Amino acid sequence: MDTMKTEMEKMMAGEPYDAHCEQMIAIRKNVKRILHKLNVTEYYTDKFQDTINELCPNSAKNLHLEPPFHCDYGQNIHAGDGVFINFDAVILDGAKVTIGRKTLLAPGVHIYTARHPLNVAERREWEDCRPVTIGEECWIGGHVTICPGVTIGDRAVIGAGAVVTKDIPADTLAVGNPAKVIKKLNNKDRSETLNT
């Protein structure tokens, strides 16, 4: 491990880092202040969108977060134009989380980038993160969990309650725990729907 880097720099580089050092705790406390504004004090005011943009400065200016919303850093969320994130979402964004334009997240979606060692002695000392990428125009169903390092292709649909542990190709429907592709999507048949 590079001792010349800050813990934040190590985290952003995907290296093992100490999430519990003073620097990282201070950063997360500041984010919690912004989240308090988002979730409690600014929701019904004309400052609400400004608060979203303050929390997620690397996302499109029209990103919509329905409170309550929770994340670790905010700056690592890169959401495209027209992304909608419904209430009770949790994004642990130690690594970059990319959400493509016009993607919709149902209530209770959790996205995790953090990984922890299985060895307890190592787990006391460090964790690392792997990026998550969700393509454009995806539908992520209610209470889906997306694990570190996963990529979901454009226009994919993830059924409610799925746990996504591996990459999901574009234009597919994946369901279950662990999520498995059960159908190719986006052919000419437009009559099907999926419950949230």
Side-chain angles (χ1 to χ4, degrees), residues 27 50 56 60 86 92 103 142 147 154 161 180:
I27 291 168
D50 292 339
C56 301
N86 215 326
L92 303 186
T103 284
C147 293
D154 293 344
K180 291 187 170 105

Side-chain angles (χ1 to χ4, degrees), residues 133-153:
T133 301
I134 303 171
E136 297 183 353
E137 298 185 291
C138 293
W139 168 245
I140 311 298
H143 292 277
V144 165
T145 299
I146 301 172
C147 293
V150 163
T151 295
I152 297 172

Side-chain angles (χ1 to χ4, degrees), residues 17-183:
Y17 71 99
D18 179 2
H20 304 291
C21 71
E22 289 183 20
Q23 174 206 23
M24 299 302 281
I25 291 170
I27 291 168
R28 288 194 303 273
K29 277 185 180 177
N30 185 57
V31 170
K32 296 303 181 261
R33 288 184 192 99
I34 300 169
L35 285 167
H36 181 76
K37 288 196 306 186
L38 179 86
N39 292 325
V40 180
T41 63
E42 304 297 348
Y43 182 55
Y44 293 107
T45 75
D46 57 3
K47 297 178 185 175
F48 181 62
Q49 191 64 50
D50 292 339
T51 305
I52 292 173
N53 299 338
E54 178 186 5
L55 178 67
C56 301
N58 295 311
S59 290
K61 297 305 177 200
N62 65 350
L63 168 64
H64 183 84
L65 303 173
E66 191 67 24
F69 173 77
H70 302 280
C71 66
D72 279 338
Y73 303 100
Q75 68 181 9
N76 297 330
I77 299 170
H78 296 252
D81 186 61
V83 168
F84 179 89
I85 300 175
N86 215 326
F87 59 83
D88 285 334
V90 174
I91 301 179
L92 303 186
D93 61 319
K96 185 176 181 180
V97 174
T98 303
I99 305 172
R101 67 178 187 85
K102 296 189 178 179
T103 284
L104 308 173
L105 276 62
V109 170
H110 285 206
I111 300 171
Y112 305 141
T113 66
R115 303 186 319 160
H116 303 274
L118 293 177
N119 179 283
V120 68
E122 292 178 0
R123 196 163 56 242
R124 291 182 194 126
E125 301 295 323
W126 63 271
E127 62 185 64
D128 67 4
C129 298
R130 293 293 176 263
V132 168
T133 301
I134 303 171
E136 297 183 353
E137 298 185 291
C138 293
W139 168 245
I140 311 298
H143 292 277
V144 165
T145 299
I146 301 172
C147 293
V150 163
T151 295
I152 297 172
D154 293 344
R155 298 168 304 280
V157 175
I158 311 297
V163 178
V164 186
T165 60
K166 297 187 190 272
D167 292 354
I168 302 296
D171 296 304
T172 59
L173 168 62
V175 300
N177 181 3
K180 291 187 170 105
V181 172
I182 62 166
K183 185 173 188 174

Side-chain angles (χ1 to χ4, degrees), residues 139 157 159 173 183 185 189-196:
W139 168 245
V157 175
L173 168 62
K183 185 173 188 174
L185 294 177
D189 182 5
R190 299 180 183 269
S191 62
E192 293 184 89
T193 60
L194 183 71
N195 293 332
T196 297

